[in-house]
Amino acid sequence: DVKVTQSSRYLVKRTGEKVFLECVQDMDHENMFWYRQDPGLGLRLIYFSYDVKMKEKGDIPEGYSVSREKKERFSLILESASTNQTSMYLCASSPHRGLVTEAFFGQGTRLTVV
Amino acid sequence: AQSVTQLDSQVPVFEEAPVELRCNYSSSVSVYLFWYVQYPNQGLQLLLKYLSGSTLVESINGFEAEFNKSQTSFHLRKPSVHISDTAEYFCAVSLLQGAQKLVFGQGTRLTINP
């Protein structure tokens, strides 16, 4: 089975802190994604990556950055956390570069910024 | 750009009743279509997908969805629901050309009443 592991289920951070959310997949997938999930808004894409050291902006990249130094690991960085970044963050991976035929999701990280 | 609209944010039904969750999409190119399910406090799991071939696709737990190209729809149905189907359901699309990403609808919360 494909496994996508997010390093924390719950995080509480203070406004202005730098926050790292880590995601690891174990199936040698090409593509990795970061989404945030908010009630009534569904899942919105923050950033995605189809190769090591490559990244593409999604629909809501402002206030976020990402890092993909190794194929299996995709990190989401909040440079200076703000209360409007309180949300559920979901990482996903998919196998084939160029097409998304299926995506596998981690359990999510619920981030609260106080 | 593609978009996905789930017409109902909440759908309450009685146990053993039929249910339909509606999904419409907008895209200028061909798409793949997906339904994901999220049980309480869990990540997203793939329920079913349409990539090609028969326009009617089925899941292992009795759900089915039909791709209707002329109406740009991919509605999800189940003839008789169970309490365990209580969850949030997300419709998603990915493009066969262009950006390699999965775009989600807003989600539909399905509540089953005994």
Side-chain angles (χ1 to χ4, degrees):
Chain A
D1 277 356
V2 175
K3 193 154 187 183
V4 179
T5 304
Q6 295 182 230
S7 53
S8 305
R9 287 297 302 272
Y10 301 94
L11 273 180
V12 180
K13 296 292 182 181
R14 294 194 180 278
T15 301
E17 274 193 80
K18 190 169 186 176
V19 181
F20 293 87
L21 303 184
E22 306 287 348
C23 175
V24 177
Q25 50 95 1
D26 66 357
M27 283 301 290
D28 202 36
H29 284 179
E30 301 288 341
N31 304 319
M32 296 188 75
F33 308 86
W34 275 107
Y35 290 88
R36 65 176 281 176
Q37 181 182 4
D38 299 288
L41 298 177
L43 277 73
R44 293 179 292 166
L45 183 63
I46 305 171
Y47 268 96
F48 63 105
S49 167
Y50 52 84
D51 203 350
V52 175
K53 297 192 186 295
M54 302 299 290
K55 61 184 179 183
E56 295 281 346
K57 291 181 179 179
D59 301 314
I60 52 164
E62 296 78 18
Y64 304 95
S65 63
V66 290
S67 172
R68 195 170 180 195
E69 296 295 319
K70 294 185 177 181
K71 191 175 185 179
E72 67 271 17
R73 186 180 297 271
F74 193 37
S75 303
L76 179 69
I77 304 157
L78 286 65
E79 296 290 342
S80 178
S82 64
T83 54
N84 63 11
Q85 292 178 310
T86 291
S87 187
M88 171 70 88
Y89 290 88
L90 292 166
C91 176
S93 69
S94 71
H96 310 298
R97 182 175 176 173
L99 284 176
V100 179
T101 56
E102 186 170 355
F104 298 84
F105 283 82
Q107 290 289 86
T109 297
R110 186 167 294 282
L111 173 67
T112 302
V113 183
V114 298
Chain B
Q2 72 270 40
S3 66
V4 180
T5 301
Q6 292 182 243
L7 297 161
D8 305 295
S9 60
Q10 296 187 65
V11 173
V13 295
F14 288 106
E15 195 171 13
E16 298 183 5
V19 70
E20 178 180 80
L21 307 183
R22 296 180 291 171
C23 173
N24 287 88
Y25 69 93
S26 171
S27 175
S28 57
V29 301
S30 296
V31 297
Y32 293 147
L33 294 152
F34 308 83
W35 276 99
Y36 279 83
V37 59
Q38 186 179 36
Y39 298 105
N41 297 315
Q42 295 188 26
L44 271 69
Q45 303 172 31
L46 181 68
L47 188 59
L48 46 75
K49 62 182 178 181
Y50 171 78
L51 302 183
S52 64
S54 172
T55 57
L56 183 67
V57 291
E58 298 177 354
S59 72
I60 58 172
N61 57 352
F63 283 93
E64 64 178 30
E66 186 157 21
F67 170 46
N68 187 320
K69 190 173 182 179
S70 63
Q71 297 191 4
T72 61
S73 68
F74 191 54
H75 301 330
L76 182 70
R77 302 183 182 93
K78 189 171 185 180
S80 176
V81 295
H82 189 267
I83 290 283
S84 60
D85 294 322
T86 296
E88 189 152 22
Y89 292 79
F90 293 93
C91 182
V93 302
S94 69
L95 301 183
L96 272 68
Q97 300 171 40
Q100 306 138 23
K101 60 183 182 179
L102 204 54
V103 175
F104 285 85
Q106 301 91 332
T108 298
R109 186 169 298 278
L110 177 63
T111 305
I112 313 297
N113 299 306

